[in-house]
Amino acid sequence: MTKTVSGQALFQWRQWAIELAKENGVDTGEVDWLLQGLTPLKSLSLRLGTYQTQIDIPVKASLSELTEKWHQRINSRVPVQYLAGETPWRHFSLTVTPDVLIPRPETELIINIAEMLAAQTSITESAGHWADLGTGSGVIALGLAHTFPNATIHAVDISPQALKIAQHNAQKNHLAHRITFHQGSWLTPLDHLKGQLTGILSNPPYIPTQTVTTLQPEVTHHEPHLALDGGFDGLDCLRTLVSTSLDYLIPGGLWLTELMVGQASTVVSLLKTQGSYTHISTHLDLSGKDRFVSARKAL
């Protein structure tokens, strides 16, 4: 239930939250991120304090609930995206819960790469069937649906809880009619589409098991390990995707995945060893490091 709070009271709360963030090494910008997720206030208004004169500002939580949320951020290192319940990604507003991985800015590039590679081929990739494997919050499926308006998008996840979030995000962003959701492991739910997929994209679990517990507490203690843990060397899921995708792709179909920095050369070798992939390429992330690998099924 939406509540209201005076602009002056919210201003004072913001000042308190910023000071607590400074004292505990948390980015002070996250205070405004939380407030933008729970109020209609925009970033500029928050920074300039122009909202102070407003008598009633709608808030999705009372001041005491806001305080509890901020203590969770400071003391338990709960990610601010989970506290706000949503996060921006490309031009979408996404609901996120601890059932799904928080989408990263780097993953936005996988849609740009898919669009670029589709423009370089004679295959009509703006249509056909595309699959997002391990969809999580649904971000890649949403990006594909928006970028290829004539395509049919299939979003797959083994987690029923994640699929519920992905379906909600599709409805929230008015793309539910473009995406079909399937529960199951990787390509198994798409057996009826063998040999028919124009493109397969994935941001699979790729972090080595022993590394998962050494990550930032925001990740280790709060994000779903099912979406992080890629096995002993982090490559279990990637090996599966390399070996199984050929049966599902059309000749010349696109295979594209995100991976951890340092894994690209190994994945390229796996694709070459498979023997039926061509046009194998690596692609850089926002930091200039190899973060994606693409290939095509041989004609």
Side-chain angles (χ1 to χ4, degrees):
M1 181 182 296
T2 301
K3 305 170 176 63
T4 60
V5 64
S6 72
Q8 187 59 41
L10 194 62
F11 176 82
Q12 293 173 352
W13 184 90
R14 179 178 179 271
Q15 296 303 110
W16 165 81
I18 287 174
E19 288 304 313
L20 194 62
K22 290 178 181 178
E23 293 169 6
N24 289 274
V26 171
D27 183 358
T28 58
E30 293 191 15
V31 176
D32 286 357
W33 193 337
L34 178 62
L35 290 176
Q36 287 177 80
L38 298 176
T39 75
L41 296 175
K42 304 299 182 184
S43 176
L44 183 61
S45 177
L46 286 165
R47 292 201 308 271
L48 297 179
T50 55
Y51 60 93
Q52 289 184 67
T53 57
Q54 295 184 41
I55 298 174
D56 291 313
I57 297 174
V59 186
K60 296 177 184 177
S62 66
L63 282 181
S64 61
E65 290 168 337
L66 269 179
T67 299
E68 174 58 27
K69 284 180 179 291
W70 197 242
H71 278 306
Q72 289 178 2
R73 178 71 190 100
I74 298 298
N75 301 324
S76 302
R77 285 304 199 257
V78 177
V80 68
Q81 294 93 332
Y82 290 154
L83 295 173
E86 62 179 41
T87 189
W89 192 84
R90 289 177 77 88
H91 51 271
F92 303 115
S93 174
L94 301 169
T95 294
V96 289
T97 75
D99 289 318
V100 297
L101 198 69
I102 297 168
R104 269 57 174 184
E106 285 80 5
T107 305
E108 297 186 20
L109 297 177
I110 201 169
I111 304 300
N112 298 348
I113 295 167
E115 185 176 23
M116 174 191 70
L117 294 174
Q120 295 175 356
T121 179
S122 59
I123 297 174
T124 308
E125 292 189 332
S126 59
H129 295 274
W130 288 73
D132 169 22
L133 304 181
T135 192
S137 61
V139 291
I140 292 177
L142 290 172
L144 289 173
H146 182 266
T147 302
F148 301 123
N150 296 316
T152 300
I153 312 301
H154 301 270
V156 180
D157 206 289
I158 197 170
S159 165
Q161 293 83 9
L163 277 181
K164 288 180 181 179
I165 298 299
Q167 289 173 310
H168 171 77
N169 282 326
Q171 293 168 353
K172 182 178 181 179
N173 290 279
H174 311 294
L175 288 168
H177 63 292
R178 298 285 322 289
I179 305 170
T180 303
F181 295 90
H182 310 265
Q183 184 184 349
S185 178
W186 303 119
L187 285 156
T188 303
L190 303 181
D191 276 353
H192 61 292
L193 291 174
K194 279 189 174 181
Q196 299 180 51
L197 293 181
T198 299
I200 293 174
L201 275 68
S202 184
N203 179 18
Y206 50 66
I207 300 174
T209 301
Q210 295 302 315
T211 303
V212 172
T213 58
T214 68
L215 300 174
Q216 294 175 318
E218 287 85 347
V219 178
T220 299
H221 299 315
H222 300 288
E223 297 201 64
H225 286 205
L226 181 66
L228 297 168
D229 192 338
F232 176 75
D233 61 357
L235 295 168
D236 284 0
C237 300
L238 288 159
R239 289 191 185 92
T240 297
L241 293 174
V242 169
S243 64
T244 60
S245 295
L246 287 168
D247 289 340
Y248 293 81
L249 287 167
I250 63 173
L254 176 64
W255 186 93
L256 174 59
T257 186
E258 181 173 335
L259 36 70
M260 189 169 76
V261 172
Q263 293 176 334
S265 60
T266 302
V267 173
V268 166
S269 296
L270 289 171
L271 290 163
K272 289 180 177 178
T273 300
Q274 188 70 22
S276 296
Y277 290 99
T278 63
H279 299 84
I280 302 168
S281 302
T282 59
H283 306 270
L284 304 180
D285 65 10
L286 298 170
S287 301
K289 298 178 180 178
D290 287 332
R291 175 72 68 176
F292 308 91
V293 173
S294 66
R296 293 192 177 278
K297 179 179 178 178
L299 295 172

